[in-house]
Amino acid sequence: MLYYIGKRLLSMLPLLFGITLICFAVIQLSPGDPVTLGTSLNQEADADAHQKLREAYGLNKPLHEQYLTWLKGLIQLDFGTSFAPDNRPVIDKITESLPVTLWMNIIGLFFVFLIAIPLGVMSAKYQDSFFDKTSTVILFIAFAAPSFWVALMGMIYFGLHLEWLPISGISTYGSESWPLHERILDWAKHLILPIGIGVLGSIAGMSRYMRSSMLEVIRQDYITTAKSKGLTNTKVFYKHGLRNALLPVITILGLSIPGLIGGSVIFESMFSIPGMGRLFFDAVMMRDYPVIMGILTIGALLTLIGNLLADVAYSFADPRIRFGGQKNA
Amino acid sequence: MRIFWAVALSLALTACKPNTAKQEQDFSSDSGPIKGDILMHATLGDTSSLVPMLSGDVTSSYVAGLIYTSLLTYDKNINLVPKAAENYHISNNGKTITFKLKKDIKFEDGTPLTAHDVMATYQFIIDEKTRTPYASKYKMVQKAEVLDDYTFRVNYAEPFAPALSSWAMLILPKHILEKSKDDYNKTELKETPLGVGPYKLYKWRRGQDLSLKSTSDRPHIAGQRMRIIPDADATFLELKAGNLDHSGLKPLQYLLYKDKESFTNRFNLFSYLSNAYTYMGFNLKNPLFQDIKVRQALSFATPRDALVKGVLHGQGQPASTIFKPGTWAYNNSIKPYPYNLEKAKELLKEAGWVDTNNDGILDKDGQDFRFTIITNQGNSLRLRTAEILQYAFSQLGIEVKIRTQEWSTFITNTINKSQFDAIIMGWSLSAEPDPYSIWHSSQTKEGQFNFIHYKNKEVDQLIEDARTEMVQEKRKVHLDRLQEILHQEQPYLFLYVPYSNIAVHKRIKNVYAAPSGIDHNMEDWYVPQELQRYSINQLMP
């Protein structure tokens, strides 16, 4: 097992290298560079200033040199400094935006599973019933509704009309001096709308996935066997069926890990949340290469780790899965 | 799902507060100016640093403008007036400007502001390593010197009229700048500005808000909080909910709410011309547009009133020239081309464009009159403008296609390389009327701003003459003539100047609009005691 994990980890390195190389090349394909866009149509900026800025950022050097400089930094775990005029270290910018996005995504994911799994199981159990059909329709409406519109409606209804929830932001002004429990309540109130609307849109996919997984499992031979042994329907369904139907969820969980650091630009902009989505979006818009590369690299790394974790978790959940290299398989 | 709503409901109930009283409160009472309260406003984008010469964004300029002072500043009618300077003197030959500084100005830490600080700021801007796009005007200075602690003098090789406005730059403290002499880009002023007031930075939470606290008795408003709300609709909702005191309104929002009592009970609305105009520019390298009659014809066929009505919902006025109406440089005798389809058709005929093959499209030498208007994606106003023009020109028998491009592609491939027939764009108008970078024939290289390749010797001469003429009245003669030529030649179709519509909460008194906007007398704004809403001691202890 350890051997397997070690091997997988090692094979990640060339993969990661390849990913960064491709990312670096692809970013360069989009027209414009940070200097052009930073001074574009600024009547007071002349060509001289333009050239000076290009040199300051090393953009006048050939591409492979720029990449090597960046890679050298990365090996020393240095993501470089941002091309935005603040010239702050990329890692500072990321660590500043990361916590709020990470928490929102974890809480969101938790609620998605909490709601979608029972919903999917119920839909499978009472397949084609009234409940199954109405929940499908409702969920797909929630899924199809444009999230920015739902967000606006939520803001207008709960924020403006009922005044139950704050419209935007992540905390009340001046709440730093409040006692902790009031601050937590304050955060919770601010996060209900952005997380809730995000969850609403994600339930559909997850619950349908759960439903089909469940339906597939209960058609298996061993379920028939279990039934023929005389076990109660409930027991067969939940003990034998559900456990196996949950297996694919592990894959989804693993694949969700890189998604945890990615924020939605739409939500973050509408709700004024200073998170990763906005950081990345702004970086792309102004061609802030170091920030883009930093986020992409971390994302790639997390994707690889997520895959590995999912594979490892499988071996625990499903004894039939064995790894190569294990002689006692 | 049910659990979500249960949680939401339980949390929401604790937050439930009856708030109708707030909306019905009467904000008309006024017991006179007094210190206190906090002004809540919002901005769409965060700033990257609070040194505006380095960051160059609006938020940075606004905030730094409240923290630092400058030798000169613009008054409410957009004229340059002394601020930190007691007075200034321009030598007879126009090459030397001498500034006498006021003696009683102190930085927040008690250090007096002197000519040395002006010098240090100037050196910071022209330093080779400083990453600023604004150095060019300062590099024209031949010699800058500190004559004594309160006298600063600059020499130019030749008279340069726009130079004066460059001394509206904010003055940074020398003793802090010096700390990062090796690399000014790392100055701590980027995060912790040290100015002279009227406000100082209280707190900056990146991506969330900037709080400013007043440092003296004036301004009356004791604090300002600028929230960063990247979404314009969310900003409006916050305004309606009473969480913002000051916000710009989109034309439609303005029209829908200007007569709504629930809104006007709480907000005063202000409307003034914004510092920008929208135009359609012709690529003059394209033979299609080289004939002046063709450009004039298209201008006669442009329904400017319909554009203002259809695109801006009436919130603007037709544009006719390159300067802002109401400022000294604006040529009052120029009126926009009136809509006259007959005249347009006549001009096109004179230029040789007739529909010889009866396919509905004008042609000349076997070529149809077709062209493409390009504009940037995501700007619905410009797109609508393009659509209206498309229809208007079709009335003449001209076929127009419209294309939109993502901003950076638009700038890099289309504008900078002059790869277009016609474009719809806008220029923001700086307070300093210097047409050099947009209209001079030397400015047509890739990345420069005369991307329509307008070349006219007389215009070049007028621009240069205006630049070397220090007396405003004489300078205006050149600029007036320049505007007449541009009006005649129509290298741009000047389309419209939009209004800025601003809502300000009614409890804030003494706010009025001038050509420069409403911020000109911010130090005199106040909230009477009985209407004060936020406690500065509580929120910014």
Side-chain angles (χ1 to χ4, degrees):
Chain A
M1 187 74 190
L2 280 178
Y3 173 78
Y4 173 79
I5 294 176
K7 207 173 84 176
R8 282 285 299 266
L9 280 174
L10 268 181
S11 71
M12 263 185 205
L13 283 177
L15 207 54
L16 194 64
F17 170 76
I19 292 173
T20 61
L21 189 64
I22 292 171
C23 289
F24 199 87
V26 169
I27 298 173
Q28 308 287 340
L29 288 180
S30 60
D33 63 47
V35 175
T36 321
L37 295 177
T39 59
S40 64
L41 303 185
N42 180 341
Q43 288 173 47
E44 296 188 27
D46 59 357
D48 204 31
H50 201 98
Q51 190 52 33
K52 198 172 74 184
L53 288 170
R54 284 184 65 85
E55 279 167 28
Y57 293 130
L59 291 167
N60 52 338
K61 294 192 191 124
L63 265 188
H64 64 271
E65 232 174 274
Q66 291 181 39
Y67 177 70
L68 285 179
T69 316
W70 179 83
L71 196 66
K72 227 193 254 166
L74 182 72
I75 291 168
Q76 296 156 18
L77 291 180
D78 174 11
F79 285 100
T81 49
S82 165
F83 283 173
D86 56 10
N87 299 131
R88 294 168 71 220
V90 170
I91 199 73
D92 283 8
K93 287 186 135 179
I94 292 179
T95 43
E96 197 174 79
S97 307
L98 191 59
V100 60
T101 301
L102 199 62
W103 277 112
M104 280 180 63
N105 283 330
I106 290 176
I107 297 170
L109 200 64
F110 172 76
F111 276 107
V112 169
F113 280 104
L114 192 73
I115 299 163
I117 291 176
L119 217 57
V121 171
M122 285 302 127
S123 286
K125 191 167 183 193
Y126 307 106
Q127 195 190 351
D128 295 332
S129 66
F130 176 73
F131 169 78
D132 184 25
K133 281 178 180 159
T134 43
S135 70
T136 307
V137 170
I138 291 171
L139 286 174
F140 273 86
I141 288 173
F143 177 70
S147 53
F148 77 90
W149 179 81
V150 181
L152 261 183
M153 292 303 120
M155 287 157 92
I156 291 173
Y157 190 69
F158 294 107
L160 199 61
H161 187 68
L162 295 178
E163 301 194 21
W164 284 0
L165 298 172
I167 295 171
S168 65
I170 51 171
S171 59
T172 301
Y173 190 51
S175 63
E176 286 94 339
S177 54
W178 297 1
L180 186 67
H181 67 275
E182 276 184 39
R183 287 173 65 187
I184 293 178
L185 191 70
D186 184 54
W187 282 327
K189 275 192 269 181
H190 279 86
L191 292 180
I192 285 177
L193 274 179
I195 294 183
I197 291 165
V199 167
L200 207 59
S202 315
I203 290 176
M206 191 62 215
S207 69
R208 291 309 90 179
Y209 191 84
M210 194 62 222
R211 178 178 178 270
S212 64
S213 170
M214 196 74 208
L215 284 176
E216 202 177 299
V217 165
I218 52 174
R219 289 201 196 99
Q220 301 282 328
D221 290 345
Y222 66 85
I223 296 288
T224 321
T225 315
K227 276 188 185 158
S228 63
K229 278 201 302 189
L231 290 176
T232 61
N233 253 347
T234 324
K235 206 160 188 185
V236 172
F237 198 81
Y238 290 108
K239 188 128 188 255
H240 297 264
L242 184 58
R243 269 186 67 177
N244 286 295
L246 276 174
L247 271 181
V249 172
I250 294 173
T251 319
I252 296 194
L253 255 179
L255 291 175
S256 305
I257 288 179
L260 289 180
I261 67 155
S264 151
V265 188
I266 296 173
F267 281 149
E268 289 184 4
S269 298
M270 298 210 62
F271 291 104
S272 314
I273 295 164
M276 294 292 284
R278 256 164 74 192
L279 180 68
F280 191 64
F281 182 74
D282 290 346
V284 169
M285 284 329 251
M286 61 192 288
R287 306 286 186 270
D288 188 346
Y289 300 142
V291 172
I292 301 176
M293 284 306 291
I295 296 175
L296 288 179
T297 308
I298 295 176
L301 193 69
L302 287 177
T303 310
L304 295 173
I305 292 176
N307 282 345
L308 177 64
L309 284 180
D311 287 352
V312 172
Y314 255 117
S315 75
F316 287 108
D318 188 345
R320 285 172 304 179
I321 294 173
R322 290 289 179 265
F323 297 105
Q326 280 181 311
K327 295 199 176 68
N328 57 349
Chain B
M1 189 72 184
R2 255 170 292 157
I3 297 169
F4 165 71
W5 290 117
V7 174
L9 198 69
S10 63
L11 279 169
L13 286 174
T14 60
C16 192
K17 50 177 192 252
N19 217 350
T20 40
K22 190 173 75 193
Q23 306 208 354
E24 280 159 19
Q25 199 183 333
D26 179 19
F27 292 108
S28 58
S29 78
D30 184 355
S31 61
I34 190 167
K35 184 92 188 170
D37 213 341
I38 298 174
L39 180 71
M40 301 285 178
H41 44 159
T43 169
L44 289 176
D46 199 0
T47 177
S48 50
S49 105
L50 290 175
V51 178
M53 297 84 158
L54 293 176
S55 55
D57 55 74
V58 254
T59 309
S60 171
S61 303
Y62 177 81
V63 173
L66 293 173
I67 295 174
Y68 296 103
T69 188
S70 51
L71 288 173
L72 307 175
T73 192
Y74 287 99
D75 68 3
K76 61 179 181 182
N77 294 318
I78 323 189
N79 291 315
L80 266 181
V81 291
K83 192 176 179 191
E86 186 84 54
N87 56 57
Y88 64 92
H89 175 75
I90 303 170
S91 69
N92 287 335
N93 64 9
K95 293 182 188 176
T96 310
I97 313 174
T98 314
F99 297 96
K100 280 267 176 215
L101 272 73
K102 286 180 188 160
K103 290 189 175 152
D104 53 349
I105 306 175
K106 284 193 172 63
F107 284 105
E108 218 184 288
D109 62 355
T111 325
L113 183 143
T114 67
H116 299 284
D117 297 301
V118 182
M119 186 71 173
T121 309
Y122 159 74
Q123 279 165 345
F124 152 73
I125 296 178
I126 60 159
D127 190 282
E128 267 313 305
K129 280 184 291 184
T130 304
R131 293 174 191 168
T132 175
Y134 302 110
S136 63
K137 272 187 192 163
Y138 301 94
K139 286 194 170 146
M140 298 184 108
V141 174
Q142 203 174 34
K143 191 168 150 209
E145 53 194 328
V146 175
L147 296 185
D148 62 58
D149 280 359
Y150 295 97
T151 315
F152 179 72
R153 190 167 79 186
V154 278
N155 278 294
Y156 292 84
E158 50 188 283
F160 181 53
L164 199 56
S165 68
S166 66
W167 300 104
M169 72 172 190
L170 302 178
I171 304 168
L172 308 178
K174 183 186 183 197
H175 60 288
I176 309 288
L177 271 178
E178 265 178 350
K179 288 191 205 166
S180 46
K181 225 172 180 171
D182 302 329
D183 186 358
Y184 282 126
N185 299 304
K186 295 201 169 113
T187 177
E188 63 186 70
L189 294 171
K190 284 165 80 172
E191 309 248 337
T192 47
L194 181 84
V196 300
Y199 288 94
K200 65 173 181 182
L201 182 68
Y202 177 75
K203 194 186 254 174
W204 177 15
R205 299 186 294 178
R206 282 183 188 271
Q208 288 191 61
D209 60 5
L210 280 143
S211 304
L212 297 164
K213 191 176 175 178
S214 75
T215 49
S216 54
D217 326 336
R218 292 296 276 274
H220 301 299
I221 306 272
Q224 293 200 20
R225 181 196 182 209
M226 210 167 192
R227 271 194 63 189
I228 292 129
I229 307 180
D231 186 90
D233 296 320
T235 306
F236 185 64
L237 290 181
E238 290 282 18
L239 182 78
K240 265 181 80 181
N243 301 327
L244 292 176
D245 296 327
H246 178 296
S247 170
L249 301 179
K250 293 196 235 174
L252 215 52
Q253 289 167 346
Y254 176 79
L255 286 179
L256 284 176
Y257 284 92
K258 75 180 165 63
D259 298 319
K260 238 182 211 159
E261 229 174 89
S262 62
F263 194 75
T264 51
N265 275 346
R266 294 182 292 146
F267 294 99
N268 284 317
L269 295 170
F270 300 94
S271 212
Y272 50 89
L273 278 180
S274 65
N275 290 321
Y277 67 87
T278 299
Y279 64 89
M280 184 176 112
F282 301 107
N283 188 347
L284 298 175
K285 285 205 299 189
N286 185 333
L288 212 51
F289 301 120
Q290 274 167 2
D291 191 334
I292 181 172
K293 284 188 178 144
V294 170
R295 301 195 302 263
Q296 286 174 337
L298 292 178
S299 199
F300 275 118
T302 300
R304 291 181 174 78
D305 291 319
L307 284 171
V308 169
K309 227 175 177 173
V311 176
L312 300 174
H313 302 285
Q315 297 302 303
Q317 68 178 55
S320 54
T321 178
I322 54 176
F323 299 127
K324 181 171 174 176
T327 58
W328 66 265
Y330 180 78
N331 186 338
N332 280 311
S333 64
I334 292 178
K335 299 279 170 279
Y337 278 54
Y339 181 68
N340 188 337
L341 211 54
E342 291 315 308
K343 180 101 186 162
K345 282 178 181 163
E346 213 171 282
L347 281 164
L348 282 171
K349 207 179 224 170
E350 284 173 32
W353 290 99
V354 268
D355 185 10
T356 52
N357 53 5
N358 284 320
D359 62 350
I361 296 169
L362 298 179
D363 54 87
K364 181 183 173 183
D365 307 331
Q367 212 195 338
D368 282 346
F369 202 141
R370 284 200 176 94
F371 70 96
T372 305
I373 298 177
I374 308 182
T375 191
N376 60 301
Q377 209 171 57
N379 189 322
S380 57
L381 299 186
R382 289 184 190 163
L383 187 60
R384 246 181 289 159
T385 305
E387 284 161 356
I388 292 175
L389 290 180
Q390 182 182 42
Y391 174 76
F393 297 157
S394 76
Q395 304 289 303
L396 295 172
I398 296 172
E399 193 179 277
V400 175
K401 284 197 188 114
I402 300 171
R403 245 175 83 195
T404 58
Q405 283 179 329
E406 182 260 338
W407 179 251
S408 49
T409 316
F410 182 60
I411 293 298
T412 324
N413 296 345
T414 303
I415 296 290
N416 287 354
K417 299 200 169 102
S418 297
Q419 293 294 326
F420 57 84
D421 303 331
I423 41 152
I424 292 180
M425 288 270 281
W427 281 118
S428 62
L429 297 158
S430 71
E432 175 57 40
D434 179 19
Y436 186 80
S437 60
I438 300 178
W439 297 104
H440 198 274
S441 64
S442 66
Q443 302 297 303
T444 52
K445 290 195 267 312
E446 181 170 340
Q448 292 183 324
F449 301 133
N450 188 353
F451 39 71
I452 62 161
H453 292 268
Y454 179 68
K455 289 185 180 171
N456 181 318
K457 285 217 175 73
E458 194 189 347
V459 164
D460 284 356
Q461 193 56 49
L462 286 167
I463 292 173
E464 286 159 29
D465 289 347
R467 280 190 134 192
T468 49
E469 180 55 68
M470 301 300 279
V471 182
Q472 202 177 82
E473 289 76 34
K474 292 188 189 160
R475 206 175 154 200
K476 184 169 166 55
V477 175
H478 300 306
L479 294 175
D480 276 354
R481 175 70 192 131
L482 168 82
Q483 292 172 74
E484 277 167 27
I485 298 176
L486 291 179
H487 185 65
Q488 179 73 22
E489 299 211 328
Q490 293 288 306
Y492 283 177
L493 301 182
F494 298 97
L495 300 175
Y496 50 79
V497 184
Y499 290 139
S500 287
N501 294 315
I502 311 274
V504 180
H505 198 276
K506 270 202 163 158
R507 71 178 200 283
I508 295 154
K509 308 290 176 184
N510 210 5
V511 184
Y512 63 94
S516 72
I518 57 168
D519 291 345
H520 56 88
N521 71 333
M522 203 175 236
E523 293 188 25
D524 299 326
W525 295 4
Y526 64 90
V527 182
Q529 183 82 56
E530 67 275 15
L531 296 180
Q532 293 201 357
R533 182 157 166 206
Y534 303 101
S535 151
I536 187 90
N537 296 330
Q538 214 178 333
L539 288 169
M540 298 188 200

